[in-house]
Amino acid sequence: IEYRNEGYRIGEGQKESWARGPLGSNTGLGSGAQGFQGFSPANAIKQHRDNVSGYIDLEAQLGRLLVGVAARGESYSDFGETATGKFSARYDVTDGFALRGTVSSGFRAPSLQQSYYTLTQPQVANIGGVATIVDTGTFPSTSPVGVALGGKPLKPERSFNLSGGFVVRSGGFDLTVDAYQIKVRDQLALADNLGSGVNATSAITALLAPFNVTAARFFVNGIKSTTKGIDVVARYRLPTASAGVFDLTVAGNFNEIKLTQVPTSTGTIAVPALFGRQRITALEAGTPGEKIVGQVDWSLGGFGALIRASYYGSVTQPAGSLVDYVQTGKHTIIDAEARIPLLANANLALGVNNLFDVYPDRVPDTNVGNYNNGGTAFPYYSPFGFNGRLLYARVNLNW
């Protein structure tokens, strides 16, 4: 049984970070900090919620069949009550081979940040031939701006999960293979800016005008997604009399994410692109479809060594225009480490991550989207970053 109290607060920033000077005909006057304006009094907020939950997990061994049943009930002060459950089974066909499977449901309440985060930034707009400071930014879905555009109180995400596989054990060898499918409904995501780009319609402009806001975005429910994948892990532990212990591991994950439903309306107005192609691509192709890791770890007394190879499939980094989409490319990263004893309870590890200084595919200099890439030469969607080789030394103490 668990009780939890969550709090979220945005405090008013230093006045000079958000205060605005009169614009008039002098466009050189500032309007708060540039790049990331401070939080204004209108952004300040303080919210909290309570949550009480209970969880029970029961298992029973019925001969070669292991059966498990779990249930969880939760009560949120802002979302009410919910219940989720899980049923699992494992059958040992022989001492070295077993089948297993699980059916479960899931629940995730929106975080307080998703419900209440707000930040507005000023922009200069030409309204009726007069330079005017107007707001654009991220608003809570239940704020006056959000409600005007059709925003509603956020609902929890829910999922239905299936998995099944087998386990093989023989001596020092272990192999597990599991396939899974995860279906999520009412998935939360941040909408595209309403009031700019393709979403700069006359209807949206009219709804935002009373608030002196030109563009707004907020979190919405409504996405449905299906994730399918396979996890494979093989391990072989080989102890020798004089050469030490060799621990060999190969693990792979292969998955596919598809959005099966994407909202096209806030419920109040039709939106040309509530979730544009760019945002859909980020959810479907913004993580590797495959990752394979092979590792050898050797130990003898206090000495040891490790070498690991990690293969990453290509990731798509979206941009404002389809021609500016970039691929991180398929790459393999090699890590290595050596360990030597120092004292009875200590050892020294010397290692290198990304031994061969591998980088993701470079963003072409002609790519207009590079201006939105933070000024870096490499895609920031890269699953292994773009910091190159890292050398390190570490002392481990055990007592």
Side-chain angles (χ1 to χ4, degrees), residues 1-3 39 60 116 125 149 154 208 220 307 324 342 360:
I1 298 176
E2 178 184 64
Y3 168 78
F39 292 110
Y116 297 108
L149 293 174
L154 300 181
L208 291 174
V220 299
I307 186 166
D324 291 329
L342 290 179

Side-chain angles (χ1 to χ4, degrees), residues 93-116:
V93 180
T94 67
D95 292 340
F97 180 73
L99 299 172
R100 61 185 182 185
T102 300
V103 179
S104 65
S105 59
F107 169 91
R108 191 188 76 83
S111 67
L112 290 175
Q113 294 92 326
Q114 289 175 319
S115 295
Y116 297 108

